[in-house]
Amino acid sequence: MSKAAKATEIEIETEVEVELQSPADEIEGVREIGDAELKAIAEAMIFVADEPVSAKTIADVIKVDRTAIEKALGDLVLEYDARNSGLQLREIAAGWQIATRPEHHEQIRAYLKSRPSAKLSLASLETLAVIAYKQPVTVPEILEIRGVQSPSAIKTLLDKRLIVAKGRKETVGRPMMYGTSKDFLIQFGLKDLSELPSIEDFQDLAGGSES
Amino acid sequence: MSKAAKATEIEIETEVEVELQSPADEIEGVREIGDAELKAIAEAMIFVADEPVSAKTIADVIKVDRTAIEKALGDLVLEYDARNSGLQLREIAAGWQIATRPEHHEQIRAYLKSRPSAKLSLASLETLAVIAYKQPVTVPEILEIRGVQSPSAIKTLLDKRLIVAKGRKETVGRPMMYGTSKDFLIQFGLKDLSELPSIEDFQDLAGGSES
Amino acid sequence: MEDTSPNEIATSAPAEAQVEPAQTISVANSRPEIAPDGDTDQLKITMGDFEGPLDLLLYLIRQEQVNIYDIPIARITDEYLRYLNLMQELDLTVAGDFLVMAAQLIELKSRMLLPRDPLAVEEEILDPRAELVDRLLEHEKFKAAAEMLWSRATVEQAVFKRAEIETDKNNPEVTVGLFDLLRVFQEILARQKEEILLEIEREEVSMAEMIDRLRNMVRSAGEVNLKTFFERSKSRRELVVAFLSVLELVRMSEIALVQSETFGAIMARTVGAEGQEI
């Protein structure tokens, strides 16, 4: 196959330090894959995935180095942008995903005949904000910050899978601790928690500068 | 600037109704859409569609001439080919769709097979729940509680290493007893079994919602 | 401050309200608003759903246009209590959280009135309001964070993923979280309970069995309170059968029904030596 021949030429650089976590015997069948093919496979894989795929997962499946995949994905992102695609390749929830661009949401919605789904109540959002910034956090601690009981808001957030239990706190009554989930990252378009603006950035809004 | 004035700003924004109004009626006025945008919207629309989309459908939604869409789609096909994408835009009997290219089927299949095991069928989930809360427990006991046979679920859970055999029960037939594994704790982020949420945790959340 | 009972607040609040001018009050599901009502000098008050006492306090601080770092506690406390009073007048349930805050405000108000220790160094005097201010600022930060989340979610809703494709269906599985385990387990237990109940209902007692049951009870105990006997019935149908079996045994003169006083218990006895009947 002509593709295989092509692949061999470029091969050398992609294979540098194959450090796989998988058992040694699986490395046996390391295939020779060129850059262009790598990009194509990664793109196809992200497309078929029903949730964001990490570079590591892709690397493990095609048995190449993760940095090679990361480079391929970086190139792909630029390509998508350069050709003004209606789609974007983006990093979300510690993985990669193909999605439409927000610019065209009106037409897309008109086509799908969909309305934006009902979002969370203010009470739930405030509870979620406390959990996002203070995780892992217990119900009493949330109460302390919000100054109001939030059990039903917490249940809503659990039902919507935006938060998850994170073990128990070793204190009186061993209350359950909560933190945000992967779905939280996805629904709020975050790569990871570090992408959240620092809570101190809201200081100005809250207190205003002393003037 | 006064604090109060600033605070008022925040107030207004927080007040925004947590449900967006339908944008459908805003599209009414025919907009001027350039060639590049047309291509992008058509691509996005085909991407989100759950079945092949005809050029006519796209034209109707964006309210442009069908030949313009056909030209845009033709251009898109060439673009996909030119950049050796892992995806292809193709026209089948019913309309246009985006799909992976056959060349990469092997890797795609490998990926689909490797999908994370954090997912369980309902039968497996039920069986796992019973084992988690009733361990050590035998298959007849699980059957008793679930009211449904679960042989394949047990096998799935064993394969996924979520449960392990815990010796035989000294009763008629000496059935095997099962309990959760270390992997179970890791997957669910538990330090030990005492961290499993209890009925009380759940009731704490369900009850007493007031504000 | 824990000693201040909610009742004290409730009684002090109406006194405050009497000082107030005439008000038109309307309850809306929006944020509260106090605004002059047209060209009358009445105040129009729109009550809103406050997320909690901190929310209400922040609102009052803004409304009164006071510096959050230098809250006039007496004034804000009065306003706060007036609001609680309004809520009660409107029969809105005033949650415990609001009352706790009221108690704290009153306590703060009285502490503000205490003369400062003249010997204390200026810097060492801790403003009694400091803790409350911190909580308010903290609370407002999270309100701003919630708003940020809201706008993020709005942007995210404009982004679409591909529709379901064939290979998704090969994987018809559910993502599992820790609480799913508990929820599923509870569902199983509920289902089990339902099945047991169904079984009991299906287990129908025949007329012959019921007659045997009554006969045995009367024989072994000498007499049986009919009320107790009927209460054993698990369904309406069973109750009817029980009733019929009593009639049947009376008809066959195997038992006699005895009532020793009007409205007293009716006892079923074996028809033996005494043999009195009613």
Side-chain angles (χ1 to χ4, degrees):
Chain A
M1 217 182 283
S2 65
K3 192 156 271 171
K6 222 185 197 174
T8 326
E9 289 168 24
I10 321 160
E11 176 45 20
I12 302 112
E13 52 175 289
T14 14
E15 227 203 355
V16 191
E17 46 136 335
V18 181
E19 56 106 29
L20 284 178
Q21 263 99 323
S22 42
D25 53 357
E26 276 179 37
I27 307 181
E28 293 289 288
V30 174
R31 277 192 54 228
E32 310 191 340
I33 299 177
D35 275 359
E37 204 186 344
L38 209 58
K39 226 163 51 179
I41 294 173
E43 188 182 16
M45 222 173 259
I46 293 168
F47 175 79
V48 296
D50 55 1
E51 51 179 34
V53 204
S54 71
K56 186 181 175 303
T57 304
I58 301 172
D60 286 355
V61 173
I62 10 185
K63 301 192 176 69
V64 294
D65 187 42
R66 184 170 123 183
T67 51
I69 295 295
E70 275 162 358
K71 188 186 166 298
L73 291 173
D75 289 351
L76 266 176
V77 169
L78 295 179
E79 274 182 25
Y80 269 75
D81 290 347
R83 66 188 175 92
N84 285 315
S85 171
L87 308 177
Q88 56 173 329
L89 179 65
R90 61 175 191 164
E91 213 177 346
I92 190 171
W96 293 81
Q97 181 190 63
I98 298 173
T100 63
R101 286 181 195 273
E103 297 94 282
H104 311 124
H105 77 103
E106 282 187 14
Q107 289 94 341
I108 303 288
R109 237 178 233 134
Y111 168 68
L112 291 175
K113 298 190 177 67
S114 80
R115 288 157 165 268
S117 56
K119 269 186 283 183
L120 296 168
S121 72
L122 204 57
S124 300
L125 268 179
E126 284 185 23
T127 306
L128 184 59
V130 173
I131 295 173
Y133 281 99
K134 293 281 183 180
Q135 61 186 305
V137 64
T138 66
V139 174
E141 288 162 356
I142 298 168
L143 160 70
E144 175 73 28
I145 292 171
R146 294 201 59 227
V148 69
Q149 303 278 358
S150 349
S152 68
I154 291 173
K155 193 166 177 304
T156 305
L157 296 173
L158 276 171
D159 287 348
K160 291 189 185 279
R161 299 174 185 282
L162 290 169
I163 59 168
V164 287
K166 295 268 185 187
R168 293 184 184 281
K169 186 160 185 165
E170 294 309 331
T171 174
V172 186
R174 301 187 80 227
M176 193 63 86
M177 297 187 289
Y178 299 92
T180 51
S181 66
K182 189 173 171 182
D183 273 10
F184 166 78
L185 296 176
I186 293 176
Q187 289 200 30
F188 290 89
L190 295 162
K191 252 187 255 183
D192 51 51
L193 286 174
S194 71
E195 248 203 328
L196 280 176
S198 154
I199 190 70
E200 298 313 322
D201 290 348
F202 296 113
Q203 187 85 60
D204 290 346
L205 292 171
S209 46
E210 271 295 70
S211 61
Chain B
M1 124 187 237
S2 84
K3 227 142 282 163
K6 231 182 190 175
T8 320
E9 277 172 34
I10 305 168
E11 174 60 21
I12 292 155
E13 283 176 25
T14 357
E15 220 183 33
V16 181
E17 240 314 295
V18 186
E19 195 181 328
L20 292 179
Q21 70 277 63
S22 153
D25 40 10
E26 288 166 27
I27 306 178
E28 292 296 279
V30 178
R31 280 184 51 225
E32 289 288 317
I33 299 178
D35 277 359
E37 205 185 343
L38 209 60
K39 226 163 51 178
I41 296 172
E43 188 183 16
M45 221 171 264
I46 294 169
F47 175 78
V48 298
D50 56 0
E51 52 186 19
V53 200
S54 71
K56 186 179 178 306
T57 305
I58 301 173
D60 287 353
V61 174
I62 355 184
K63 300 195 174 68
V64 292
D65 190 41
R66 183 170 132 185
T67 50
I69 296 296
E70 274 162 357
K71 186 186 167 302
L73 291 172
D75 289 353
L76 267 175
V77 170
L78 295 179
E79 272 182 28
Y80 269 75
D81 289 348
R83 68 187 176 94
N84 283 318
S85 170
L87 307 176
Q88 55 176 328
L89 180 67
R90 62 174 183 182
E91 193 178 9
I92 57 170
W96 292 83
Q97 67 172 196
I98 295 173
T100 59
R101 286 182 196 274
E103 296 96 284
H104 312 121
H105 273 187
E106 196 186 309
Q107 286 96 342
I108 298 294
R109 214 168 291 136
Y111 164 70
L112 291 175
K113 250 192 248 168
S114 79
R115 277 199 279 204
S117 57
K119 291 181 161 190
L120 291 172
S121 69
L122 188 63
S124 305
L125 175 58
E126 283 196 10
T127 307
L128 182 60
V130 172
I131 294 174
Y133 283 98
K134 291 282 184 182
Q135 61 188 301
V137 63
T138 66
V139 172
E141 286 162 355
I142 297 168
L143 164 67
E144 169 94 355
I145 294 169
R146 282 192 63 216
V148 192
Q149 295 275 12
S150 8
S152 72
I154 298 270
K155 193 179 170 302
T156 306
L157 295 172
L158 281 169
D159 287 348
K160 290 187 192 269
R161 299 173 190 283
L162 289 169
I163 60 168
V164 286
K166 297 262 185 189
R168 297 192 176 276
K169 185 161 184 165
E170 293 308 329
T171 173
V172 186
R174 301 189 71 236
M176 189 62 85
M177 296 186 293
Y178 297 94
T180 52
S181 67
K182 203 173 161 186
D183 275 11
F184 168 83
L185 294 178
I186 294 169
Q187 280 218 22
F188 286 90
L190 299 168
K191 255 186 275 170
D192 52 59
L193 285 174
S194 76
E195 291 203 329
L196 271 178
S198 67
I199 310 289
E200 289 74 39
D201 289 317
F202 206 72
Q203 280 159 352
D204 284 352
L205 296 177
S209 66
E210 43 180 22
S211 66
Chain C
M1 54 177 140
E2 283 78 9
D3 295 336
T4 323
S5 80
N7 289 340
E8 277 178 53
I9 300 143
T11 48
S12 70
E16 301 284 346
Q18 282 159 17
V19 194
E20 291 306 315
Q23 298 150 347
T24 341
I25 299 162
S26 68
V27 182
N29 234 8
S30 61
R31 286 288 155 148
E33 207 177 6
I34 304 182
D37 185 21
D39 37 20
T40 72
D41 30 301
Q42 289 190 336
L43 283 178
K44 189 182 177 203
I45 300 178
T46 315
M47 297 285 291
D49 285 339
F50 286 105
E51 273 307 322
L54 291 174
D55 239 21
L56 173 54
L57 264 185
L58 279 173
Y59 165 74
L60 292 174
I61 287 166
R62 277 182 213 141
Q63 191 69 33
E64 298 290 301
Q65 304 210 345
V66 298
N67 185 343
I68 197 166
Y69 292 104
D70 189 18
I71 303 170
I73 290 293
R75 190 163 126 211
I76 292 296
T77 303
D78 290 351
E79 279 296 299
Y80 184 90
L81 294 177
R82 191 166 67 92
Y83 252 90
L84 289 205
N85 183 47
L86 269 178
M87 287 191 200
Q88 280 165 342
E89 268 181 26
L90 294 169
D91 283 335
L92 299 178
T93 326
V94 177
D97 303 318
F98 284 92
L99 300 176
V100 170
M101 176 58 77
Q104 287 171 350
L105 283 174
I106 290 169
E107 196 254 349
L108 204 51
K109 186 175 156 186
S110 60
R111 265 168 65 196
M112 295 296 285
L113 295 173
L114 291 178
R116 289 185 180 175
D117 181 357
L119 298 177
V121 190
E122 183 72 22
E123 284 84 51
E124 282 178 7
I125 299 169
L126 194 64
D127 191 324
R129 298 170 296 184
E131 197 201 324
L132 179 66
V133 173
D134 284 351
R135 282 192 71 192
L136 285 171
L137 289 177
E138 180 89 342
H139 180 71
E140 191 142 61
K141 269 192 274 180
F142 283 105
K143 277 172 73 81
E147 202 187 305
M148 175 275 298
L149 287 179
W150 184 85
S151 50
R152 283 205 83 103
T154 309
V155 171
E156 208 41 43
Q157 283 208 342
V159 174
F160 295 81
K161 292 190 291 175
R162 64 158 172 73
E164 198 165 80
I165 55 175
E166 190 114 2
T167 51
D168 296 348
K169 291 168 195 148
N170 297 342
N171 203 18
E173 301 184 318
V174 280
T175 318
V176 180
L178 191 51
F179 267 87
D180 293 317
L181 279 182
L182 179 63
R183 182 179 47 76
V184 161
F185 186 60
Q186 281 180 303
E187 279 167 13
I188 296 168
L189 292 184
R191 199 169 66 201
Q192 199 186 11
K193 221 180 264 174
E194 226 164 72
E195 273 165 17
I196 289 170
L197 283 178
L198 283 176
E199 264 167 41
I200 289 169
E201 272 180 37
R202 253 183 271 121
E203 185 196 340
E204 288 169 354
V205 183
S206 70
M207 185 75 177
E209 285 168 326
M210 190 61 85
I211 288 175
D212 277 350
R213 184 193 286 179
L214 179 59
R215 191 185 277 139
N216 290 336
M217 281 169 74
V218 174
R219 268 189 203 150
S220 60
E223 62 172 8
V224 168
N225 188 332
L226 276 192
K227 187 165 174 284
T228 322
F229 177 65
F230 287 141
E231 275 171 354
R232 286 186 49 170
S233 305
K234 292 185 190 81
S235 65
R236 190 179 290 262
R237 190 196 156 277
E238 208 179 318
L239 186 64
V240 172
V241 175
F243 186 64
L244 291 177
S245 63
V246 171
L247 294 184
E248 182 66 9
L249 285 186
V250 169
R251 193 183 63 81
M252 298 192 303
S253 303
E254 280 199 50
I255 59 167
L257 300 182
V258 184
Q259 189 178 31
S260 30
E261 54 181 307
T262 324
F263 302 122
I266 300 172
M267 311 299 287
R269 284 183 189 160
T270 44
V271 179
E274 312 102 332
Q276 326 98 305
E277 281 181 35
I278 288 182

